[in-house]
Amino acid sequence: MAAPDKAKRKAGFIPLTIIFVLFIIFLYGPTATIAILSFQGPDGGLTFPMNGMSLHWFRQLFEEQQVGDFGGSLTRSILLGIAVMLCTAVFSLLAGLAYRRSFMGGNVLFYLTLVSLILPSILISLGIGIMFDRIGLSPGWYSSAFGAHLTWTLPFGLLIMFAVFNRFNKSYEAAAIDMGATSWQTFRLVVFPLILPSLIGVCLFGFTLSYDEFARTLMTAGTFNTLPLEIYGMTTNVTTPVLYALGTLTTLFSFTLISAALISIWAVRKSRARKAPTSA
């Protein structure tokens, strides 16, 4: 009976493998194409064939440009992403702790938070921009865009922390309290180390969602663009592979960030396993 089962599995395995390979090509093919074209020679264009290989367009990124402000927009996106990441992590953690006990209006507040995921992002951006205009404030990437990004990242952070605390084993806290630990010691020495990998995931969500957010930044960034807005504006003005070089660098930055988060999670779990007492 083993041979027919194996043959049947292989018959379904090949089509699924083909679909998976096509999906990978569809997902990463454009990124790979941009990465290859970013190494065009000084006389290269935006399309194939390649006209030499060089780092010319990467060097151009760090020189003065007639169109676009790469350094400024990248700096603003990173600073905004870090600020959104920190606020998302802190508020998600506090909300997760608060929702461990039921309180009046908790369900209403929870669903109101999730509404921002349903509403079109451009409408939220437009509404915040109009609100700042009505109250006499100029929109900026550090104020109105910051608030707009939080409407996008906070719901994701809340959902992650709610899921974490819903399956959290409260017996660990009870054991710590029985041994004389205070509430703060219980949180710092027991709860926080256990939820730290998930909190790192919330930070990763917060930063990456803010870093490449376009729609909620469009009407709220004010005078100075973030990187997604700068790239969008350059697509109609820049006719050299310098745009591809910028895309390649930002992609490498994103993969580096994800790798750093995964290494951090692995290090936390490794440290926890090392500290765990071995059974006799």
Side-chain angles (χ1 to χ4, degrees):
M1 295 295 293
D5 291 341
K6 188 175 181 181
K8 184 177 180 180
R9 186 191 65 193
K10 286 186 176 180
F13 177 77
I14 295 176
L16 290 176
T17 302
I18 294 174
I19 293 174
F20 177 74
V21 170
L22 291 176
F23 171 74
I24 293 297
I25 293 174
F26 177 80
L27 187 63
Y28 293 104
T31 303
T33 302
I34 289 175
I36 294 172
L37 289 172
S38 65
F39 291 96
Q40 283 267 31
D43 299 324
L46 294 174
T47 58
F48 291 104
M50 298 284 290
N51 191 357
M53 292 282 292
S54 73
L55 298 175
H56 173 76
W57 302 110
F58 290 93
R59 290 192 293 268
Q60 287 287 105
L61 282 175
F62 302 97
E63 298 177 1
E64 186 176 353
Q65 301 288 327
Q66 294 181 351
V67 179
D69 178 19
F70 302 134
S73 60
L74 178 60
T75 301
R76 286 187 287 272
S77 286
I78 291 176
L79 292 177
L80 180 59
I82 291 174
V84 171
M85 174 191 72
L86 294 176
C87 286
T88 300
V90 171
F91 285 114
S92 298
L93 175 59
L94 294 177
L97 292 171
Y99 271 87
R100 299 184 75 186
R101 297 180 180 179
S102 59
F103 57 91
M104 184 179 297
N107 290 333
V108 176
L109 183 60
F110 172 72
Y111 288 115
L112 284 177
T113 304
L114 296 185
V115 165
S116 62
L117 294 179
I118 304 171
L119 293 176
S121 297
I122 193 65
L123 292 182
I124 294 178
S125 176
L126 179 61
I128 293 177
I130 293 175
M131 181 189 70
F132 267 68
D133 180 68
R134 291 297 183 184
I135 62 179
L137 296 176
S138 299
W141 62 272
Y142 51 84
S143 56
S144 53
F146 174 72
H149 284 203
L150 284 178
T151 65
W152 181 233
T153 60
L154 266 178
F156 285 102
L158 291 176
L159 290 175
I160 292 173
M161 295 312 300
F162 288 169
V164 170
F165 281 115
N166 280 339
R167 58 185 176 85
F168 188 82
N169 192 346
K170 294 183 180 181
S171 62
Y172 296 126
E173 296 174 274
I177 294 174
D178 289 341
M179 296 178 67
T182 63
S183 298
W184 169 244
Q185 289 174 328
T186 301
F187 172 77
R188 182 172 60 90
L189 300 175
V190 178
V191 178
F192 187 75
L194 291 175
I195 66 173
L196 183 56
S198 300
L199 199 58
I200 293 175
V202 172
C203 291
L204 182 62
F205 259 106
F207 184 87
T208 53
L209 289 175
S210 171
Y211 178 72
D212 64 355
E213 178 58 28
F214 175 80
R216 299 185 190 228
T217 318
L218 185 61
M219 304 291 183
T220 58
T223 305
F224 298 100
N225 286 339
T226 58
L227 188 60
L229 296 181
E230 197 71 23
I231 293 176
Y232 177 75
M234 289 169 54
T235 55
T236 57
N237 298 314
V238 178
T239 57
T240 62
V242 69
L243 185 59
Y244 295 157
L246 177 62
T248 300
L249 286 182
T250 54
T251 301
L252 288 176
F253 175 76
S254 299
F255 277 112
T256 301
L257 183 67
I258 294 173
S259 300
L262 292 176
I263 292 173
S264 300
I265 294 174
W266 175 83
V268 169
R269 291 177 175 173
K270 193 76 173 179
S271 176
R272 186 191 303 167
R274 193 183 301 115
K275 293 178 181 179
T278 55
S279 57

